[in-house]
Amino acid sequence: MKKIDSYIDNRMISILSLLNDGIVITDEKGFVKYINPAYTLYSGKEPEAMLNKHISELRPGAVLPQVLETHKAIRNIPRKVGNVESYCDYMPIMEKEKVIGGLIVVKDVVRIKELIKELEDANKTVAQLNQQIKNSFSAKTTFEDLIGASMGLNEVVKVSRKAAKTDSPVLLIGESGVGKDVVAQSIHNGGPRKEMPFVDINCAALPENLLESELFGYSEGAFTGAKKGGKLGLFELANGGTLFLDEITELPLSLQAKLLRAIQEKKIMKLGGETTKQLDVRIIAATNKNILDCINKKQFREDLYFRLAVFVIEIPPLRKRKKDIHLFINNFINEQEKKKQKPINISEEAMAILMDYDWPGNVRELRNAIEYSCNTIEGNVIEVSNLPPNILKKGTLLMTTDLAQKELSLSEIIENAEKQAIKFYLQLYGSNMKSKEKIAEVLNVSIATLYNKIKKYGLG
Ligand SMILES: Nc1ncnc2c1ncn2[C@@H]1O[C@H](COP(=O)(O)OP(=O)(O)O)[C@@H](O)[C@H]1O
Ligand SMILES: [Mg+2]
């Protein structure tokens, strides 16, 4: 069997003398055979004073003899010589299951402490960034926040609550402004992923190439101009949580194929990447288009549709949810009362017009209409004249009366309508000379006729 001395040749020495860690090599009995320059720094002893001495003689209570006996390494033992602190590893040097020597490695505790501190700092930064990701990718609305008492909305909430408990994809269908976003958020918050990110992207907002890297990310050097370190895609950011794909029918066909694969295989490959990454993402998609139409026109993949359409939730337009219109109006007026710090009411006529309007922009338009109205009132009451001009169409006028319930004669109905119409325009345009000229023009009557009617109905 070779002796340890034969290993300690010039080549070995030149390498070991480069290390910052202190190195001591002994023979199989524990007699010191080599010390590198760094060890001298830790021990304060010159090599000549140590060579060929037994390690126990140099350091009473030395650990190495035990290691040579048991053949088992002992690591990270703290040690202090004077003011110098270090950590030591003790190892047997084996050959063919026999001990031929011992090795002591002395590691600088200051550096290790620095590294620990650096690691702790880095961990803190990661935790902060994670928190930031959570904050910026979070869903605010919950089922409890949703307003509505109509059958239509109740049905939506019922199915959505069921969907929230599962991991299955959801497809939300409805006109713009009906509440697809808030329902998607409620589904996320109503399920087990609520503490995880809710990431949303509007598929119509970006051109194809940007959309792809936004969704799937790219690896470093994927293309000229790619950021150093690559880019994390939204899919990956949503890991563990929910990805909300708004206006899904606007996703280009090539990306539809990629999305389908990602959903089916539960993994993605970055642009320019070579490996796939396993992900756990719940998909909620939304559209305001007729998606079956898009499939017929070959603009949307049928197989992707079937993947997404596990829960299909159609949110009815606001005009079909009359009960909700009333609730929303009161709610949005409350919001404005808080903002403006004054009580606000709405006149019966104005309310009737809002109830009858067809709301092509749905809840979003209604919220804006109330905000507009509250900005134009002088006192505390929203009058017809405060409503946004586009809502004040002629056709809505007659609906402000509840004629049918009163069982009036035809001439009474006509008179009533006439009175309502003139009253409406007086509120809208005002009652000075100029306004009256304008009203006569709009109603296509002479100014004299208008004056007569104003007098007749006591509106002047
Ligand atoms: N049921 C509801 N309860 C409370 N607010 C709603 C409801 N439906 C819609 N909204 C509000 O209406 C506006 C439009 O809703 P949003 O979810 O963005 O519609 P969509 O995504 O369908 O265009 C938002 O301000 C939202 O807060
Ligand atoms: Mg939306």
Side-chain angles (χ1 to χ4, degrees):
M1 194 178 63
K2 272 184 173 174
K3 287 279 190 193
I4 192 74
D5 302 74
S6 61
Y7 287 94
I8 309 173
D9 56 8
N10 285 341
R11 195 150 38 127
M12 173 82 90
I13 288 171
S14 64
I15 293 171
L16 293 180
S17 61
L18 292 175
L19 299 182
N20 286 329
D21 291 340
I23 301 284
V24 178
I25 297 175
T26 70
D27 66 9
E28 77 282 5
K29 298 204 183 73
F31 287 95
V32 175
K33 292 295 167 191
Y34 171 76
I35 299 158
N36 77 343
Y39 186 83
T40 309
L41 292 179
Y42 288 111
S43 66
K45 288 198 176 91
E46 289 306 316
E48 298 76 46
M50 296 183 70
L51 278 177
N52 296 316
K53 298 245 166 74
H54 195 268
I55 194 78
S56 307
E57 189 186 329
L58 296 166
R59 286 190 64 78
V63 177
L64 194 64
Q66 181 194 334
V67 169
L68 296 176
E69 205 165 293
T70 61
H71 303 187
K72 285 210 176 72
I74 297 179
R75 294 178 201 274
N76 292 323
I77 304 298
R79 146 184 154 146
K80 194 168 179 182
V81 178
N83 286 329
V84 186
E85 281 181 74
S86 58
Y87 281 101
C88 293
D89 291 343
Y90 304 89
M91 290 161 276
I93 301 173
M94 311 285 293
E95 196 176 275
K96 297 199 181 101
E97 293 177 20
K98 279 232 145 75
V99 181
I100 59 164
L103 175 67
I104 303 175
V105 182
V106 187
K107 295 170 288 186
D108 181 359
V109 78
V110 177
R111 182 64 193 133
I112 288 178
K113 278 186 178 163
E114 271 172 20
L115 286 174
I116 290 173
K117 173 94 176 48
E118 276 171 32
L119 190 63
E120 278 172 354
D121 288 351
N123 279 341
K124 262 186 220 148
T125 313
V126 169
Q128 276 169 3
L129 287 174
N130 272 337
Q131 192 56 44
Q132 271 180 22
I133 289 179
K134 236 164 115 183
N135 291 345
S136 42
F137 294 108
S138 69
K140 287 166 197 72
T141 313
T142 66
F143 285 123
E144 284 68 39
D145 301 323
L146 291 184
I147 297 164
S150 63
M151 292 266 286
L153 194 91
N154 283 340
E155 190 57 28
V156 166
V157 171
K158 205 171 101 194
V159 183
S160 300
R161 279 188 189 274
K162 257 191 218 152
K165 302 268 178 291
T166 74
D167 262 346
S168 307
V170 176
L171 179 62
L172 296 169
I173 298 177
E175 291 175 13
S176 173
V178 286
K180 297 185 294 295
D181 269 83
V182 286
V183 170
Q185 292 182 29
S186 306
I187 291 174
H188 173 81
N189 278 334
R193 293 169 182 259
K194 66 166 183 272
E195 299 300 330
M196 303 304 283
F198 175 86
V199 178
D200 66 340
I201 180 164
N202 187 324
C203 301
L206 293 171
E208 182 167 350
N209 57 337
L210 285 185
L211 191 56
E212 177 163 17
S213 65
E214 202 62 27
L215 271 176
F216 299 102
Y218 56 74
S219 51
E220 187 168 332
F223 47 85
T224 31
K227 264 191 274 175
K228 197 163 178 289
K231 177 184 162 79
L232 212 59
L234 294 180
F235 237 103
E236 212 168 334
L237 276 175
N239 198 11
T242 304
L243 182 62
F244 177 44
L245 299 161
D246 206 357
E247 305 212 36
I248 186 82
T249 55
E250 305 310 303
L251 199 66
L253 280 166
S254 65
L255 287 182
Q256 290 179 25
K258 212 167 167 181
L259 174 64
L260 179 65
R261 218 170 316 130
I263 298 176
Q264 265 165 351
E265 293 168 17
K266 295 189 192 305
K267 53 189 172 192
I268 59 150
M269 190 189 273
K270 289 184 178 192
L271 236 74
E274 273 143 29
T275 51
T276 54
K277 181 160 183 181
Q278 199 70 34
L279 293 174
D280 165 33
V281 175
R282 198 252 173 104
I283 304 284
I284 301 180
T287 181
N288 54 15
K289 288 242 174 93
N290 183 334
I291 198 164
L292 297 178
D293 229 33
C294 297
I295 295 172
N296 280 336
K297 291 186 190 141
K298 303 266 177 260
Q299 292 159 349
F300 200 79
R301 291 179 68 118
E302 191 173 27
D303 47 7
L304 178 58
Y305 170 77
F306 283 121
R307 262 284 153 185
L308 295 173
V310 180
F311 284 95
V312 180
I313 301 175
E314 197 161 343
I315 309 177
L318 193 56
R319 65 186 157 279
K320 295 201 179 144
R321 291 151 53 190
K322 293 278 178 202
K323 260 193 184 168
D324 297 348
I325 298 182
H326 206 277
L327 285 179
F328 278 123
I329 291 174
N330 288 336
N331 203 273
F332 294 153
I333 287 180
N334 277 342
E335 272 178 27
Q336 292 296 320
E337 281 181 324
K338 284 201 195 96
K339 214 161 131 195
K340 301 208 179 309
Q341 305 253 357
K342 66 172 186 183
I344 300 174
N345 287 310
I346 181 163
S347 75
E348 251 174 64
E349 291 86 355
M351 182 63 119
I353 289 177
L354 295 182
M355 289 299 291
D356 185 56
Y357 182 63
D358 63 358
W359 301 110
N362 294 291
V363 186
R364 188 176 293 116
E365 186 183 7
L366 178 50
R367 166 174 271 151
N368 291 342
I370 297 296
E371 188 174 341
Y372 175 97
S373 307
C374 291
N375 285 338
T376 57
I377 56 174
E378 270 147 32
N380 296 86
V381 182
I382 299 173
E383 301 285 357
V384 172
S385 58
N386 299 121
L387 300 178
N390 63 311
I391 290 177
L392 295 173
K393 287 179 301 187
K394 286 186 197 168
T396 62
L397 278 177
L398 286 178
M399 305 307 292
T400 65
T401 56
D402 49 351
L403 306 171
Q405 286 162 20
K406 292 182 185 158
E407 294 187 359
L408 302 174
S409 70
L410 184 59
S411 62
E412 283 169 324
I413 290 173
I414 292 170
E415 282 193 350
N416 213 322
E418 211 170 60
K419 179 180 168 188
Q420 292 286 341
I422 296 169
K423 189 173 159 195
F424 166 79
Y425 278 111
L426 285 169
Q427 280 186 352
L428 184 59
Y429 292 123
S431 50
N432 60 28
M433 271 285 287
K434 263 215 129 32
S435 316
K436 285 175 184 157
E437 275 167 22
K438 168 93 180 142
I439 295 169
E441 191 191 319
V442 171
L443 294 176
N444 198 19
V445 293
S446 71
I447 187 84
T449 308
L450 182 66
Y451 271 100
N452 280 337
K453 305 242 181 223
I454 288 175
K455 203 164 151 211
K456 174 178 169 192
Y457 297 124
L459 299 170

